[in-house]
């Protein structure tokens, strides 16, 4: 991804031969029949970092590769992720009922922000977190029936950032066709056409066909052989071992790191709940069909990241629909999970120390939960005492006040 951003700014081309010759071998690259090399990753993240890299390259003086990569990480991964989490916390808070505490929404929010792999991949110059941002933003717009053009742009943007996110884009498109009025369909299609045509142009320029990504020309022979099985590695029906590994494996499974996401299976009457569950289940089944379903080095199930914000919302709605409110709050707090233990090694963080970062995340999680949950309980006790006092001094039928 970084090589492609450099090539777009410095060389004006998708081919990464320039940075390859300058900096050496990089994984996930493809060599076409004419000898040129390209990135096989979805191009969305590389495009998003172009303005920041162009500003950095325009600065006087010597340019360092590590400093340039840091600029790309901050501009195209860290800041968008933080902006999304800031908006998400406010959005969840506004959805709370007046008599509802903050424990449920805080537990689901912190499970996504710190317990899931959003924390780890939000630090890196990768696309997994951004695909989840696009998917959830499109889902929220479609659920509200607002801004169909922007919803289409974001729905197609899931695939532009992460190729396995094509399944989520298809589900969001089906949601648009069933929830939007027909007069808005063309707006949704016009918005979706922008990232779709851009990705097709990249494929056509690099690999000779708008419908062909570069996995068939991977430099690594083992991965190239896997990609040529079935449909780009989807060589079977969903495999039981893949389904179990993606969800329950203690090292990289979804539920051991974020047990609260199991509440997404609870029934909910909220609008869009069925589509949220359909997106998550469809992506899980599609990834389980891949022969490389784990994806090599990974923090949690990285191919499932596009639906993690949707799962967090679905879990919140499922928990708040339970009749036992206090029990649901306790379950939410206990199952919010620890911060993601698989923080990327510091060589992938550009010399940032991962251990203090994980410690800070754990401290922030415990402090925020206790700060938000316990004062809410004290507030409810004060309200109950206030109501009892008002009842004691309320006017009686005789017109006198009883103290």
């Amino acid at each position: 991804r970084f090589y492609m951003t450099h090539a777009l700014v410095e060389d004006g081309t998708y081919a990464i031969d320039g940075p390859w010759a300058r900096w050496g071998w990089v994984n996930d690259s493809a060599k076409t029949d004419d000898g040129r090399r390209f990135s096989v990753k979805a191009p969305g993240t590389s495009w998003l970092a172009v303005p920041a890299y162009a500003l950095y390259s325009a600065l006087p003086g010597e340019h360092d590769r590590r400093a340039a990569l840091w600029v790309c990480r901050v501009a195209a991964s860290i800041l968008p992720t933080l902006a999304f989490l800031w908006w998400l916390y406010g959005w969840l808070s506004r959805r709370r009922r007046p008599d509802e505490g903050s424990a449920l929404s805080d537990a689901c929010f912190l499970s996504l922000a710190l317990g899931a792999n959003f924390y780890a991949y939000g630090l890196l110059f990768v696309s997994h977190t951004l695909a989840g941002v696009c998917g959830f933003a499109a889902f929220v717009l479609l659920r509200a029936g607002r801004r169909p053009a922007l919803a289409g742009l974001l729905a197609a943007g899931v695939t532009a950032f992460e190729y396995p996110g094509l399944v989520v884009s298809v589900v969001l498109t089906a949601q648009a066709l069933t929830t939007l009025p027909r007069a808005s369909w063309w707006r949704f299609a016009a918005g979706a056409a922008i990232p779709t045509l851009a990705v097709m142009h990249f494929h056509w320029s690099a690999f000779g066909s708008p419908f062909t990504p570069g996995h068939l020309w991977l430099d690594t022979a083992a991965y190239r052989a896997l990609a040529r099985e079935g449909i780009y590695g989807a060589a079977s029906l969903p495999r039981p071992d893949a389904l179990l590994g993606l969800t329950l494996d203690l090292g990289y499974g979804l539920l051991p790191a974020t047990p609260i996401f199991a509440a997404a299976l609870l029934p909910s009457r909220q609008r869009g709940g069925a589509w949220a569950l359909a997106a998550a289940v469809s992506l899980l089944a599609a990834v389980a069909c891949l022969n490389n379903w784990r994806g090599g080095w990974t923090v949690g199930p990285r191919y499932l990241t596009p639906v993690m914000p949707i799962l967090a919302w679905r879990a919140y709605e499922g928990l708040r629909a339970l009749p036992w409110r206090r029990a649901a709050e306790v379950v939410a707090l206990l199952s919010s999970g620890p911060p993601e233990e698989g923080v990327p090694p510091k060589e992938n963080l550009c010399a940032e120390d991962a251990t203090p970062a994980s410690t800070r995340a754990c401290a922030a999680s415990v402090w925020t939960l206790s700060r938000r949950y316990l004062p809410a309980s004290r507030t409810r006790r004060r309200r109950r005492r206030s109501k009892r006092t008002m009842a004691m001094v309320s006017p009686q039928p005789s017109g006198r006040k009883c103290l």
Side-chain angles (χ1 to χ4, degrees):
R1 297 181 180 94
F2 175 67
Y3 277 25
M4 181 172 165
T5 300
H6 172 89
L8 288 171
V9 175
E10 302 291 348
D11 306 325
T13 178
Y14 288 120
I16 62 173
D17 298 282
W20 181 285
R22 182 179 179 183
W23 293 320
W25 179 88
V26 67
N27 195 20
D28 293 326
S29 64
K31 185 176 182 180
T32 57
D33 296 335
D34 58 1
R36 296 187 299 167
R37 283 190 168 87
F38 298 91
S39 169
V40 300
K41 294 295 187 181
T45 308
S46 299
W47 289 335
L48 191 62
V50 164
Y53 188 92
L55 290 175
Y56 172 77
S57 64
L59 296 176
E62 184 178 356
H63 297 151
D64 179 65
R65 184 186 71 167
R66 295 173 66 85
L69 178 58
W70 182 87
V71 169
C72 292
R73 286 175 49 225
V74 171
S77 184
I78 296 176
L79 290 181
T81 302
L82 289 177
F84 169 73
L85 292 174
W86 175 80
W87 168 84
L88 178 63
Y89 186 82
W91 185 79
L92 289 174
S93 300
R94 290 190 297 270
R95 291 187 54 78
R96 293 199 298 259
R97 292 185 291 267
D99 62 338
E100 182 181 339
S102 61
L104 293 182
S105 60
D106 284 358
C108 293
F109 170 80
L110 290 170
S111 294
L112 174 68
L114 299 177
N117 53 15
F118 247 63
Y119 171 71
Y121 287 126
L123 295 173
L124 302 179
F125 187 49
V126 294
S127 59
H128 313 300
T129 303
L130 299 177
V133 170
C134 288
F136 187 75
F139 170 76
V140 170
L141 291 175
L142 291 174
R143 183 175 175 273
R146 300 174 54 231
R147 300 184 180 180
L150 180 58
L153 177 73
L154 294 168
V158 179
T159 307
F161 282 106
E162 187 79 356
Y163 284 136
L166 174 63
V167 179
V168 180
S169 297
V170 171
V171 173
L172 291 172
T173 301
Q175 181 184 4
L177 295 177
T178 56
T179 58
L180 294 177
R182 291 191 177 184
S184 300
W185 286 3
W186 72 269
R187 293 185 177 89
F188 181 88
I194 297 175
T196 301
L197 293 176
V199 172
M200 293 174 69
H201 177 266
F202 164 64
H203 291 167
W204 176 72
S205 301
F207 310 112
S209 170
F211 305 104
T212 304
H215 296 78
L216 301 181
W217 292 274
L218 276 164
D219 270 335
T220 306
Y223 289 146
R224 183 170 64 247
L226 291 174
R228 293 183 177 182
E229 294 181 7
I231 304 175
Y232 295 103
S236 65
L237 294 175
R239 299 165 47 184
D241 61 328
L243 293 172
L244 291 175
L246 290 168
T247 55
L248 300 177
D249 188 273
L250 296 179
Y252 50 84
L254 175 67
L255 295 181
T258 49
I260 199 172
F261 284 178
L265 299 175
L266 294 174
S268 174
R269 297 180 180 179
Q270 290 294 324
R271 185 171 62 252
W275 288 111
L277 199 58
V281 172
S282 299
L283 183 60
L284 175 63
V287 174
C289 294
L290 299 175
N291 49 25
N292 187 27
W293 54 268
R294 180 174 175 178
W297 179 89
T298 181
V299 180
R302 63 187 179 99
Y303 289 149
L304 300 183
T305 310
V307 295
M308 286 193 180
I310 293 178
L311 286 174
W313 170 81
R314 190 68 171 74
Y316 170 60
E317 296 296 347
L319 287 170
R320 71 199 294 247
L322 293 176
W324 313 285
R325 178 64 54 80
R326 180 53 60 89
E329 292 177 351
V330 173
V331 169
L333 293 175
L334 293 178
S335 62
S336 57
E340 178 60 60
E341 70 281 0
V343 178
K346 60 184 180 180
E347 60 267 19
N348 288 328
L349 289 176
C350 294
E352 291 182 5
D353 191 354
T355 302
S358 181
T359 304
R360 288 193 297 269
C362 183
S365 176
V366 173
W367 180 82
T368 304
L369 283 176
S370 60
R371 179 178 178 271
R372 299 292 295 180
Y373 180 67
L374 295 179
S377 299
R378 292 196 296 267
T379 301
R380 285 193 293 270
R381 288 196 294 270
R382 286 195 297 266
R383 288 175 180 172
R384 286 196 295 267
R385 287 196 297 266
S386 176
K387 288 180 180 179
R388 286 196 297 267
T389 303
M390 293 299 295
M392 293 175 64
V393 300
S394 61
Q396 301 300 308
S398 62
R400 297 175 296 177
K401 292 183 178 181
C402 177
L403 295 181

